[in-house]
Amino acid sequence: MKNLKIIGTFFLFVAGLSLYSQQIKVFNYEEFKPFLEKQTDTTYVINFWATWCIPCVKELPEFEEINAEYKTEKFKMLLVSLDFKSQIQNSLIPFINEKNLQAEVIVLSDPNSNVWINKINKSWSGAIPATIIYNKDFYFFHEGSMTKKDLKKILNKNIKR
Amino acid sequence: MKTLQIRKLILTLISVLFIQISFAQGYQVGDKAIGFNLKNVDGTMVSDANFPDTKGFIVIFTCNHCPFSVAYEDRIIAIDKKYKTQGYPVIAINPNDSIVAPADSYSNMIIRAREKGFTFPYLLDADQSITNTYGATRTPHVFLLKKNKGNLIVEYIGAIDDNHEDAAAVKKEFLSDAVDALLKNRQPEVNFTKAIGCSVKFAK
């Protein structure tokens, strides 16, 4: 009986672990859309990236620094991964753990990119990285890399204090 | 008064010029494309002039390292096999700077072409001039060209199909549909599409 309890606890523990590793949320475009349309005082920094994207991985540490610096303000960072769904367990989660990413990571997985890229921004060719910064009074989109300095300049001007 | 008008005119001219510059980023459907003469993985130079009998070209900017490019390799081979015999061979061009993306260096291109058994030329745009002129921004990025009275006319720009992750789940074969239309002497119904892809790695 005691053994059974130990085994049971062990299984619960393992189940808990695997649950933890699977808690990354996967959205299709329609489910993701509300993140782009919040009409609040909070300023959102939404970065489209992937673990295989060299310039994305390169700029991430500066995004993380910004996230740490602004987290006490009306500010929220969302790292939207475009990693293949099949690579979430093998590439994305190990990457997040290895780099100890603090900003929230979600996955946008929707094959119909010909439609949703334009809906996110007409000027976006689909190349990543790409970044949106917005609040209810302000909107900014950029295709290509951004530095901490770029981000700071925009945030300091537009964040609600 | 007159100087003011002239000033206004100059200002207008300048702003028109600026607008044109900012919009002149690469080709749009209907534009005349310049030809190419680039080094292939077999060491030869490959030019559009080497193909006097084709009806056009399926130019695909692609590379070694990008997972989207890799996901499409088998599909690109299939498209080349299918359309080469009908006058539309695939011309693959690596647009990336090899210092920024070492995995896409010329020597690595040779290895990849051999590994995958590419049936088409795989060219290096070493100075990125074709990439810039065409306006390729990501890999893979397709420019379908049709020969017309000695010119190369851009007939389709965009993605290969609508599902990069799963070839079996493709619903719309944008590129094949466009080539099929040209083969029937029609204009492609869909002539511009977008897709997520790896950004072109420009020299710094």
Side-chain angles (χ1 to χ4, degrees), chain A residues 147-161:
Chain A
T147 64
K148 188 177 174 184
K149 207 173 141 196
D150 298 334
L151 292 167
K152 269 193 121 143
K153 208 169 145 190
I154 295 166
L155 285 172
N156 287 342
K157 218 173 184 180
N158 294 290
I159 214 161
K160 307 268 181 195
R161 286 181 163 129

Side-chain angles (χ1 to χ4, degrees), chain A residues 10-110:
Chain A
F10 177 71
F11 270 104
L12 274 179
F13 177 67
V14 171
L17 266 186
S18 61
L19 265 182
Y20 175 74
S21 66
Q22 281 163 6
Q23 72 183 2
I24 271 199
K25 288 185 197 133
V26 181
F27 297 84
N28 65 26
Y29 175 71
E30 282 305 317
E31 294 159 347
F32 168 67
K33 208 167 84 173
F35 289 107
L36 305 170
E37 296 173 344
K38 300 204 193 279
Q39 293 294 311
T40 65
D41 280 347
T42 303
T43 299
Y44 288 83
V45 173
I46 299 180
N47 175 249
F48 297 91
W49 72 291
T51 57
W52 44 259
C53 161
I54 304 163
C56 304
V57 170
K58 211 170 165 186
E59 73 176 0
L60 263 187
E62 299 199 21
F63 275 71
E64 279 283 301
E65 283 173 35
I66 290 286
N67 188 48
E69 263 177 51
Y70 288 84
K71 70 179 175 199
T72 54
E73 303 208 39
K74 289 173 188 152
F75 167 89
K76 162 95 181 143
M77 184 176 285
L78 195 60
L79 303 176
V80 181
S81 157
L82 293 162
D83 280 271
F84 293 4
K85 229 172 162 176
S86 56
Q87 294 299 313
I88 294 175
Q89 296 299 328
N90 298 334
S91 302
L92 181 60
I93 288 169
F95 181 93
I96 295 168
N97 292 336
E98 188 199 316
K99 306 277 178 193
N100 193 21
L101 293 186
Q102 296 301 307
E104 187 182 352
V105 178
I106 63 165
V107 172
L108 172 58
S109 175
D110 191 328

Side-chain angles (χ1 to χ4, degrees), chain B residues 35-201:
Chain B
F36 47 85
N37 185 26
L38 302 169
K39 196 173 175 188
N40 193 9
V41 283
D42 65 3
T44 63
M45 295 298 284
V46 170
S47 151
D48 53 295
N50 299 144
F51 302 82
D53 299 326
T54 63
K55 295 173 185 159
F57 299 99
I58 301 170
V59 174
I60 305 180
F61 291 89
T62 186
C63 67
N64 291 344
H65 89 272
C66 172
F68 286 88
S69 294
V70 173
Y72 272 111
E73 281 171 338
D74 292 339
R75 279 176 265 185
I76 294 173
I77 293 170
I79 284 167
D80 180 58
K81 284 184 176 162
K82 181 174 175 190
Y83 290 111
K84 184 156 53 181
T85 53
Q86 301 183 63
Y88 283 93
V90 166
I91 306 289
I93 299 177
N94 170 15
N96 288 342
D97 180 77
S98 63
I99 294 167
V100 183
D104 296 330
S105 70
Y106 182 65
S107 52
N108 283 323
M109 285 171 66
I110 297 171
I111 294 168
R112 191 64 191 161
R114 196 175 300 149
E115 274 173 0
K116 287 301 294 183
F118 284 173
T119 54
F120 43 82
Y122 185 24
L123 314 178
L124 178 63
D125 186 19
D127 67 1
Q128 301 186 305
S129 60
I130 294 288
T131 305
N132 277 314
T133 309
Y134 278 52
T137 57
R138 58 175 192 271
T139 53
H141 202 166
V142 178
F143 291 75
L144 174 60
L145 311 178
K146 181 188 170 184
K147 285 184 186 170
N148 189 357
K149 295 171 191 151
N151 293 315
L152 295 169
I153 307 296
V154 181
E155 295 285 353
Y156 170 81
I157 299 174
I160 292 166
D161 58 40
D162 68 353
N163 198 321
H164 60 267
E165 215 176 329
D166 184 1
V170 167
K171 292 198 187 92
K172 285 183 190 139
E173 297 186 46
F174 300 127
L175 174 58
S176 296
D177 291 349
V179 183
D180 287 340
L182 294 185
L183 287 170
K184 288 177 194 151
N185 277 322
R186 287 190 206 139
Q187 302 224 305
E189 254 175 63
V190 177
N191 59 20
F192 184 84
T193 58
K194 285 186 176 180
I196 292 295
C198 307
S199 55
V200 167
K201 307 298 179 286

